Amino acid sequence: MAYLKPQRPEKVTVPVLRETKRRGERLVCLTAYDYPTARIADEAGTDIILVGDSIGNVVLGYENTLPVSVDEMVAATRAARRGVQRALLVADMPYGSYHAGADDAVRAALRLMKEGGAEAVKLEGGKVRAAIVGRLVAEEIPVMGHVGLTPQSIHKLGGNRRQGKTAEAARAVIEDALALEAAGAFSIVLELIPREIAQMVTDAVKVPTIGIGAGAGCDAQIMVFHDLLGLSFGKPLRHVRQYADLRAAATDAITRYAEDVRAGTFPNETESFALPPDVAEEIEKGVRGQGSEVS
Ligand code: KIV
């Protein structure tokens, strides 16, 4: 683990997270979907790496997260696993993998852990998922909850819209979070809800809250890797802070590479290698000899 930052060398595990909240330490979470993104996130000191089903939008080119399959999540989680040493690795349960019953949910979660190497799973929904969360936890599967905007409900919600805007809706978000905590979730993602409600939830539960578009009062923040680095397409969302423009950097690099190839300036002599002189001489003699035979 030579690359780990000396000030935060300890492995992040599920049991330490409650303690982290008690101490008032903020946690850093980021999504990742393969070996390089996971390794970069881990090396930079991210505490929790989520192999999110946002892989559907940002990597696989789907319109939303609904088509993502368990096989796709297992493959992505396995790749991410190879890049992570310190962070807690959490895998998202894709749409359809926990909706048909608790046994299905257990089977899908076990695949993410046994085949993918995840240390925990995340699923979307509050009160309605409490029984499934309880069952997973009983089977030794740590669960991260997710309330507020739940992108797998895109058709029910009519889009990826802000949630918890009315008193009734805000109360429902708080009740959802409490139900997940009572069911045994070890942390809860709060997505796109008013910061006041996120603060109330954070104060009400003992497990860390992980905000995305939910204000600074949460115990942790999460961002989508590609949004943070400017690798996403489309208009950036209000809650996204883009720390780099890697898409522009990549486009520029590839354009210059194409120019060099077309101009014949790539590769140059230092980017290729020559035959050893004695071999060159031998080959040349052979070619000359063949030439005289032909003539
Ligand atoms: O899939 C995902 O990336 C997520 C985070 C945005 C929380 O669920």
Side-chain angles (χ1 to χ4, degrees), residues 94-119:
Y95 182 60
S97 66
Y98 55 95
H99 301 74
D103 286 345
D104 263 12
V106 171
R107 270 189 284 273
L110 288 177
R111 282 197 65 198
L112 291 166
M113 294 184 76
K114 286 170 72 85
E115 296 174 41
E119 293 159 283

Side-chain angles (χ1 to χ4, degrees), residues 118-146:
E119 293 159 283
V121 300
K122 174 169 85 60
L123 56 80
E124 296 184 4
K127 270 191 255 177
V128 290
R129 305 287 175 233
I132 286 179
V133 171
R135 172 73 194 282
L136 291 170
V137 172
E139 308 298 358
E140 328 301 337
I141 301 166
V143 180
M144 176 184 280
H146 184 159

Side-chain angles (χ1 to χ4, degrees), residues 31 50 52-54 92 122 146 189 191 212 222 224:
T31 67
L50 169 69
D53 64 349
S54 50
D92 237 337
K122 174 169 85 60
H146 184 159
V189 171
E191 182 162 359
I212 175 161
I222 188 162
V224 168

